[in-house]
């Protein structure tokens, strides 16, 4: 675990100092370090890299060292025995390129594992960001609820005094009292939901049980969401270079093509050079020299296999020489030889079709993002104006109610509209922030790469060496 995460999950026991607060960036780092799936994908990537070494080993000769001792006991005859030690070597020299293709497939598997890890990491960061801003939205809604309680609190205190003086009707007093209690109860529900969401967020970060992150507050009312100033062609280039789906599709095409070539070359023979060198004799160490060289050829023939070999041997210090040849034919030992090629051909076709579909989808996605960003910004402007108008109208209605020109019900109805307008604006801001992050993740960019969101934090991020906002 990194030092930052160790600091981030430290429980603070000093109650006299305020708890350090966790920024969005710190939450993303902690989640990345702690998430078990990312750990598994990192291990999967390491295994894929090890497999490259395994396939690279196939280019080199296989070497073995053998030792054998035998003893024969014959009744009424002389006993005899022998000892031998031998080094055997086999070097493939031709297999139709299948070994090279298998090595390239292993390297592509490692690249695919890397892409899977990058995509999972970006998806996790987006999930953390979504939860982080959901909490910010809940905090904003609680602030609005407290603001509305202050409004009814003034009315309620005034109504209590007027009721003692019989200056207000009982039904009006009960309506004010009920509305005040309703808003207090609504705030209590929001606070309970926020505590539950904090626990869920801590679980998302895989923090120790009982830890509650204290989040850096973000003033969503001052968050700036810009229109993208990048041209569609520029975004298209970025998407084609970085889109995890498209990169994965390209790697799938390359891998499928290599596997298809492996099976399409299965009719080509495999040729290996062999050799052995050793000594034999009746005593240890054996003294008689024994060596030889040869060639092995394996030829697939329409589901059958032909194996031939030729060997030149020299024994007893070149006093005995010989040449041996032989062959073996396995009848129809591979009846499914066509199926592998057909499967790989189908896989290649699907990989190519998927790649082309993703390429066509990029243009649609970019055009949709540009259009929806403009629409969201226009909607935010209209909602902000609606809130401003509702605030002015609410002020007017309050003065009219105080002066007796309007009914209490009309004033409360107007204030409820104001609360709803503020909540709608807050929800739309969070929705717009997450939509930008989702688009960046979809085309494979790091979150905030496009720089379309300005997030004013009410509190600075903790300095290096401080813990990242975990309280008991």
């Amino acid at each position: 675990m990194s030092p930052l995460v160790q600091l981030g999950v430290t429980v603070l026991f000093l109650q006299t100092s305020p708890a350090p607060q966790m920024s969005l960036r710190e939450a993303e780092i902690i989640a990345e370090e702690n998430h078990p799936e990312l750990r598994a994908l990192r291990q999967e990537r390491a295994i894929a890299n090890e497999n490259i070494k395994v396939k690279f080993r196939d280019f080199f000769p296989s070497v073995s060292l053998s030792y054998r001792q035998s003893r024969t006991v014959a009744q009424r005859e002389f006993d005899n025995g022998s000892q031998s030690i031998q080094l055997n070597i086999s070097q493939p020299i031709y297999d139709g390129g299948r070994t090279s293709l298998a090595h390239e497939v292993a390297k592509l598997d490692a690249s695919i594992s890397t892409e899977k890890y990058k995509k999972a990491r970006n998806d996790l960061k987006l999930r953390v960001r979504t939860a982080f801003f959901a909490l910010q939205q809940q905090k904003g809604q609680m602030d609005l609820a407290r603001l509305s309680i202050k409004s009814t609190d003034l009315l309620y205190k005034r109504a209590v005094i007027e009721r003692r003086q019989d200056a207000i009707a009982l039904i009006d007093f009960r309506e004010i009292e009920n509305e005040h209690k309703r808003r207090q109860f609504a705030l209590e529900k929001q606070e309970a939901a926020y505590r539950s969401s904090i626990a869920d967020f801590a679980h998302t970060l895989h923090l120790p049980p009982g830890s509650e992150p204290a989040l850096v507050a973000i003033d969503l009312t001052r968050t700036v969401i810009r229109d993208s100033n990048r041209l569609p062609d520029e975004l298209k280039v970025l998407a084609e270079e970085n889109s995890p789906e498209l990169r994965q599709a390209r790697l799938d095409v390359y891998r499928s093509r290599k596997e298809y070539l492996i099976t399409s070359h299965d009719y080509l023979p495999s040729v290996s050079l062999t050799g052995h060198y050793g000594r034999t004799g009746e005593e240890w160490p054996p003294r008689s020299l024994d060596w030889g060289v040869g060639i092995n050829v394996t030829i697939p023939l329409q589901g059958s296999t032909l194996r031939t070999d030729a060997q030149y041997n020299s024994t007893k210090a070149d006093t005995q020489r010989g040449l041996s040849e032989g062959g073996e034919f396995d009848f129809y030992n591979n009846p499914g030889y066509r199926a592998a090629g057909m499967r790989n051909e189908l896989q290649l076709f699907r990989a190519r079709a998927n790649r082309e579909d993703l390429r066509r989808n990029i243009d649609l996605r970019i055009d949709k993002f540009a259009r929806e960003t403009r629409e969201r910004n226009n909607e935010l402007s209209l909602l902000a104006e609606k809130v401003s108008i509702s605030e002015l109208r609410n002020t007017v209605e309050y003065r009219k109610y105080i002066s007796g020109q309007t009914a209490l019900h009309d004033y409360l109805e107007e204030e409820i509209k104001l609360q709803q307008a503020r909540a709608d604006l807050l929800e739309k801001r969070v929705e717009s922030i997450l939509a930008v992050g989702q688009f960046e993740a979809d085309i494979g960019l790091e979150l905030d790469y496009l720089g379309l969101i300005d997030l004013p934090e009410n509190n600075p991020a903790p300095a290096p060496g401080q813990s990242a906002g975990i309280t008991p």
Side-chain angles (χ1 to χ4, degrees):
M1 188 179 294
S2 71
L4 176 59
V5 180
Q6 291 176 346
L7 290 171
V9 299
T10 301
V11 177
L12 300 181
F13 293 100
L14 297 178
Q15 301 297 328
T16 56
S17 59
Q21 295 188 323
M22 180 189 296
S23 68
L24 174 59
R25 177 58 180 158
E26 286 178 319
E28 292 171 348
I29 293 175
I30 292 172
E32 184 178 338
E33 290 288 339
N34 291 348
H35 201 273
E37 181 59 27
L38 287 186
R39 293 182 186 177
L41 288 175
R42 284 194 288 268
Q43 185 65 20
E44 184 178 312
R45 184 173 56 181
I47 293 172
N49 289 329
E50 286 296 318
N51 194 44
I52 296 176
K53 300 177 184 178
V54 173
K55 297 301 180 182
F56 185 67
R57 172 64 181 81
D58 294 340
F59 289 104
F60 296 92
S62 58
V63 181
S64 64
L65 183 66
S66 62
Y67 168 74
R68 182 170 297 277
Q69 180 182 19
S70 63
R71 191 76 183 173
T72 302
V73 179
Q75 295 181 2
R76 294 181 297 277
E77 294 184 9
F78 292 106
D79 297 347
N80 60 74
S82 66
Q83 300 191 61
S84 68
I85 182 170
Q86 194 169 79
L87 180 70
N88 300 287
I89 299 177
S90 177
Q91 171 63 61
I93 59 173
Y94 180 77
D95 65 352
R98 291 187 288 271
T99 299
S100 177
L101 290 170
H103 182 246
E104 292 178 12
V105 168
K107 290 193 290 185
L108 288 172
D109 285 339
S111 298
I112 290 173
S113 296
T114 300
E115 291 302 319
K116 286 175 61 178
Y117 175 77
K118 289 180 179 178
K119 186 178 187 305
R121 183 183 62 182
N122 238 18
D123 289 345
L124 175 63
K125 289 171 66 176
L126 185 61
R127 192 158 67 248
V128 170
R129 177 164 294 204
T130 301
F132 186 90
F133 280 107
L135 289 169
Q136 297 290 337
Q137 182 177 351
Q138 286 181 281
K139 289 174 68 176
Q141 290 172 341
M142 287 189 295
D143 290 340
L144 293 177
R146 293 186 185 99
L147 188 63
S148 68
I149 288 176
K150 286 183 180 180
S151 175
T152 54
D153 185 56
L154 293 174
L155 285 178
Y156 178 67
K157 291 178 179 178
R158 183 172 182 269
V160 169
I161 296 173
E162 291 178 339
R163 181 58 188 163
R164 291 173 182 169
Q165 300 173 350
D166 289 332
I168 186 175
L170 177 60
I171 189 170
D172 287 342
F173 174 77
R174 291 176 59 187
E175 186 174 5
I176 293 174
E177 183 180 37
N178 180 71
E179 181 64 21
H180 185 56
K181 290 181 178 179
R182 186 190 66 81
R183 294 185 184 187
Q184 288 177 329
F185 178 65
L187 177 59
E188 291 173 1
K189 288 176 58 179
Q190 290 175 346
E191 289 174 342
Y194 180 77
R195 289 191 294 270
S196 177
S197 298
I198 280 288
D200 292 339
F201 186 67
H203 177 70
T204 300
L205 301 185
H206 287 82
L207 298 176
S211 299
E212 293 185 2
L215 306 183
V216 169
I218 295 178
D219 189 353
L220 294 173
T221 63
R222 295 191 294 117
T223 299
V224 178
I225 304 172
R226 305 186 187 90
D227 288 330
S228 175
N229 58 0
R230 297 177 184 266
L231 298 176
D233 290 342
E234 184 181 356
L235 287 176
K236 182 178 179 181
V237 171
L238 286 173
E240 290 184 346
E241 290 179 352
N242 298 283
S243 171
E245 294 177 349
L246 189 54
R247 289 170 66 92
Q248 177 78 31
R250 289 197 196 98
L251 291 172
D252 288 342
V253 170
Y254 297 153
R255 190 184 192 284
S256 299
R257 177 167 174 76
K258 300 298 181 184
E259 290 186 332
Y260 172 73
L261 290 175
I262 290 174
T263 51
S264 65
H265 292 174
D266 62 354
Y267 65 91
L268 297 173
S270 298
V271 182
S272 299
L273 294 178
T274 63
H276 69 271
Y277 180 88
R279 290 181 180 273
T280 60
E282 295 182 0
E283 298 178 353
W284 182 263
R287 301 181 182 279
S288 180
L289 182 64
D290 184 5
W291 64 275
V293 293
I295 185 171
N296 290 340
V297 180
T298 302
I299 306 173
L301 297 172
Q302 300 294 313
S304 301
T305 305
L306 173 64
R307 301 181 183 88
T308 63
D309 67 272
Q311 188 91 13
Y312 173 80
N313 298 297
S314 175
T315 59
K316 296 185 179 180
D318 284 345
T319 59
Q320 295 181 7
R321 301 177 182 178
L323 180 66
S324 64
E325 297 177 345
E328 179 185 358
F329 188 79
D330 289 343
F331 288 95
Y332 209 53
N333 63 318
N334 186 20
Y337 73 99
R338 288 194 182 94
M342 294 169 66
R343 283 194 298 269
N344 289 337
E345 185 177 7
L346 176 60
Q347 184 178 350
L348 178 59
F349 168 77
R350 286 176 171 170
R352 284 173 170 169
N354 183 51
R355 180 187 61 185
E356 296 307 315
D357 286 343
L358 290 173
R359 281 177 173 172
R360 288 191 294 268
N361 188 46
I362 282 177
D363 291 339
L364 300 176
R365 189 178 296 177
I366 289 173
D367 292 340
K368 180 181 179 181
F369 172 72
R371 174 177 55 79
E372 290 182 347
T373 300
R374 290 192 299 269
E375 291 174 352
R376 277 191 294 268
N377 285 345
N378 289 335
E379 190 171 359
L380 283 172
S381 298
L382 293 174
L383 286 173
E385 180 65 16
K386 180 179 179 180
V387 170
S388 179
I389 293 172
S390 294
E391 287 173 346
L392 292 174
R393 188 177 297 277
N394 183 71
T395 301
V396 172
E397 289 296 322
Y398 177 74
R399 291 174 179 173
K400 290 171 66 177
Y401 167 71
I402 294 299
S403 62
Q405 300 178 28
T406 187
L408 172 63
H409 177 76
D410 295 335
Y411 165 67
L412 293 178
E413 184 177 351
E414 194 62 43
E415 189 172 7
I416 291 173
K417 290 180 180 179
L418 172 59
Q419 295 173 16
Q420 187 61 47
R422 286 171 172 167
D424 291 344
L425 178 59
L426 184 65
E427 181 179 356
K428 180 56 65 174
R429 286 184 183 277
V430 173
E431 177 188 323
S432 300
I433 293 170
L434 296 179
V436 173
Q438 182 67 60
F439 175 75
E440 290 171 328
D442 287 344
I443 65 174
L445 301 177
E446 290 292 330
L447 298 184
D448 301 324
Y449 179 88
L450 297 176
L452 302 184
I453 308 294
D454 280 343
L455 299 175
E457 294 182 350
N458 290 346
N459 295 289
Q466 291 182 341
S467 62
I470 309 300
T471 59

